[in-house]
Amino acid sequence: MLDAIETYLALRRTTGFAMSTAEHLLKSFAAFAAERGQTYVETKTAIDWAALGPSVAQRDARLRAVCRFVRHVRVEEVGHELPPANHFGARKKRRTPHIYTTDEISRLVEAALRLRPTRGLRPHTQATLIALLSSTGLRISEALKLTIADVTRDGLLIRETKFRKTRLVPLHDTAVAGLQRYLARRGLGSDDDPVFIDKPGRPLRYIAVKETFDRLVDKVGIRSTSARRPRLHDLRHTFAVRALQGSPTGRGRCGAHMAALATYMGHVNIYATYWYLEATPDLLRDVAMAGEAFISEGRSA
């Protein structure tokens, strides 16, 4: 079974998937099946192994990893059984994002600039990072991995991120100016040096950014409609919503706009982009107006 797993992983990786989690899970399952003297996937064994997960969501993820492997390998090896993928009945829940207003983002940036030490680089690092995330919709991991060489005259070069994709992210002139001001203050290093650094000059860590951002959210008094605190990741949701609001009119042009947005955000398909959208009052108003215009055109025709 291990040989079939290795072939499966290699094929998936050639299409851009990292497969690190899948590799861990499938090799664990193969060892579990081997203890039972099995060389083919059997439904009961797959369910028993998946049931070792500590939560429903993890049990579901374990079983689905096996199911994806079986669907591939059964093309040549029909002896493998395909377990029911929904055996554990887990459902992925989407956490309602907080869509930041322009005023809230401005307050976060201003509060970041007041961080201590006020004459150090830290306030400018945090403020520039927040502004960059809100204006580009970058994943926080992508922003933290940026190097000096990735800041080009054509935009930001985002190298081999999710699904091993590399893309160019053009920047608005104001974003370019803000980033250049930060780099001038930071001091240019070698091409391989990270753009965002902490006080000792090391790459800025996610946990430090998150903790600082959470404190800033509390300090400026931003509250979500849900019981949970607004997140750093919600800046990406906010960008997607604002980008859709800026879509040109017309069904065809809006479709092309969404396809461009999906590419800009680094999604492999447009469904992932839809995940980031949230029905804000402004967006619903725009949808209603577009609907009324469509109906009016139909009546006049």
Side-chain angles (χ1 to χ4, degrees), residues 110-128:
E110 291 169 2
L113 289 172
R114 294 193 294 270
L115 290 169
R116 294 181 180 179
T118 54
R119 295 186 179 181
L121 183 65
R122 180 173 177 247
H124 300 278
T125 299
Q126 296 292 337
T128 303

Side-chain angles (χ1 to χ4, degrees), residues 60-253:
D60 181 76
R62 287 162 69 94
L63 187 60
R64 288 182 184 275
V66 175
C67 290
R68 284 190 287 270
F69 164 68
V70 172
R71 292 190 191 101
H72 165 81
V73 79
R74 271 170 61 93
V75 174
E76 296 181 353
E77 294 286 349
V78 296
H80 295 279
E81 296 178 0
L82 179 61
N86 61 347
H87 176 80
F88 294 102
R91 296 183 62 186
K92 188 174 182 179
K93 295 182 179 180
R94 176 181 178 276
R95 176 175 171 176
T96 302
H98 177 79
I99 306 301
Y100 295 94
T101 65
T102 302
D103 177 67
E104 287 174 338
I105 293 174
S106 297
R107 284 155 50 198
L108 285 169
V109 171
E110 291 169 2
L113 289 172
R114 294 193 294 270
L115 290 169
R116 294 181 180 179
T118 54
R119 295 186 179 181
L121 183 65
R122 180 173 177 247
H124 300 278
T125 299
Q126 296 292 337
T128 303
L129 183 56
I130 293 171
L132 185 67
L133 293 175
S134 63
S135 62
T136 62
L138 289 179
R139 300 177 180 95
I140 178 61
S141 60
E142 294 172 343
L144 295 182
K145 289 179 182 177
L146 285 172
T147 65
I148 299 297
D150 295 332
V151 183
T152 74
R153 66 177 62 184
D154 297 317
L156 301 178
L157 188 61
I158 310 299
R159 303 175 188 270
E160 295 190 4
T161 57
K162 199 170 184 180
F163 304 112
R164 293 189 177 180
K165 299 292 183 181
T166 296
R167 70 188 192 279
L168 183 67
V169 176
L171 299 177
H172 189 273
D173 290 345
T174 55
V176 172
L179 189 56
Q180 290 301 330
R181 283 196 301 271
Y182 168 73
L183 290 174
R185 184 179 293 271
R186 174 202 179 285
L188 292 177
S190 67
D191 286 351
D192 295 332
D193 287 346
V195 170
F196 296 104
I197 55 176
D198 59 14
K199 185 177 179 180
R202 298 171 302 194
L204 194 61
R205 295 181 304 138
Y206 167 75
I207 187 62
V209 175
K210 180 184 180 302
E211 289 176 351
T212 300
F213 186 83
D214 288 345
R215 288 197 296 269
L216 292 174
V217 166
D218 291 339
K219 187 172 183 178
V220 301
I222 298 176
R223 298 290 180 267
S224 176
T225 54
S226 66
R228 296 181 176 180
R229 171 192 289 149
R231 302 171 299 170
L232 179 65
H233 188 62
D234 289 340
L235 289 172
R236 186 163 162 85
H237 285 271
T238 301
F239 173 81
V241 170
R242 303 302 180 211
L244 180 57
Q245 285 182 271
S247 171
T249 57
R251 185 172 181 178
R253 296 179 68 194

